């Protein structure tokens, strides 16, 4: 992004999402979902706001920041709230929001959504995809955390809301969009492709 007239790399403070294209770790489960989720939150944002902590650059000279949309939505909060990131890389003195983030993470853990849907996939070192694939392969109920979400089609870990308005238009809403919280979901989708395949179009904002 552009910061003070220069192109800069910015690292999100205090959160870690699964990898999508790491040189040694490769792609990790829920990495693409976290990437797409972030992309949607930032769609149409010609300006974002950076909040710095005590230290604002890491050893690689990248900016370290809490990032907000121009509407004031915290990207870190939304990733944690929707179970697509863990609280991590807690290094003093940059700990301003750590307790807030941990409380949000706890709620996502209790709901067993996305990265928290497979027991022991999230570790204090990152993500263990071997545990994830073993759980999926074995379909062992003891490894899969019960999905406690309550949606009308049992897609508890899917967060895209499909709604049919009074004109009969089929519209889907992404988390973080203006009307998302007030939208009553008639269908839930895990990906935009799935929503579009069902005949839904994206909400404008």
């Amino acid at each position: 992004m552009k910061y003070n007239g220069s192109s800069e790399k910015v690292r999100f403070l205090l959160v870690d999402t699964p990898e999508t294209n790491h040189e040694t770790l490769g792609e990790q489960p829920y990495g693409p979902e976290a990437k797409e989720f972030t992309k949607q939150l930032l769609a149409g944002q010609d300006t974002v706001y950076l909040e710095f902590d005590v230290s604002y650059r890491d050893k690689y000279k990248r900016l370290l920041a809490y990032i907000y949309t121009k509407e004031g939505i915290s990207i870190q909060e939304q990733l944690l709230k929707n179970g697509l990131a863990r609280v991590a890389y807690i290094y003093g003195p940059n700990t301003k929001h750590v307790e807030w983030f941990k409380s949000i993470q706890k709620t996502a853990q209790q709901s067993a959504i996305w990265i928290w849907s497979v027991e022991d996939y999230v570790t204090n070192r990152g993500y263990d995809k071997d545990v994830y694939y073993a759980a999926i392969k074995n379909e062992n109920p003891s490894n899969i955390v019960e999905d406690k979400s309550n949606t009308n089609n049992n897609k508890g870990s899917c967060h895209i809301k499909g709604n049919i308005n009074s004109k009969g238009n089929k519209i889907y809403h992404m988390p973080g969009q203006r009307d998302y919280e007030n939208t009553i979901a008639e269908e839930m989708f895990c990906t935009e492709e799935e929503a579009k395949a069902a005949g839904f179009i994206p909400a404008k904002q």
Side-chain angles (χ1 to χ4, degrees), residues 122-190:
V122 183
T123 75
N124 59 9
R125 302 177 309 281
Y127 301 92
D128 190 335
K129 62 182 180 182
D130 291 337
V131 167
Y132 172 86
Y133 288 121
I136 298 303
K137 180 179 180 180
N138 296 333
E139 295 183 351
N140 186 346
S142 65
N143 290 334
I144 305 296
V145 180
E146 178 185 359
D147 190 342
K148 300 174 184 176
S149 303
N150 182 22
T151 61
N152 62 348
N153 62 354
N154 294 322
K155 289 189 176 182
S157 61
C158 300
H159 301 284
I160 301 174
K161 293 182 177 181
N163 176 267
I164 303 175
N165 66 19
S166 59
K167 297 180 181 179
N169 297 322
K170 301 168 77 173
I171 300 171
Y172 67 84
H173 299 259
M174 300 290 294
Q177 290 186 307
R178 187 188 65 184
D179 298 322
Y180 181 81
E181 296 297 336
N182 296 323
T183 297
I184 298 174
E186 292 167 87
E187 291 190 55
M188 295 295 290
F189 303 102
C190 296

Side-chain angles (χ1 to χ4, degrees), residues 44-58:
Q45 298 283 325
D46 53 358
T47 300
V48 295
Y49 296 97
L50 304 182
E51 177 189 5
F52 297 119
D53 213 318
V54 177
S55 173
Y56 63 94
R57 288 195 186 274
D58 64 12

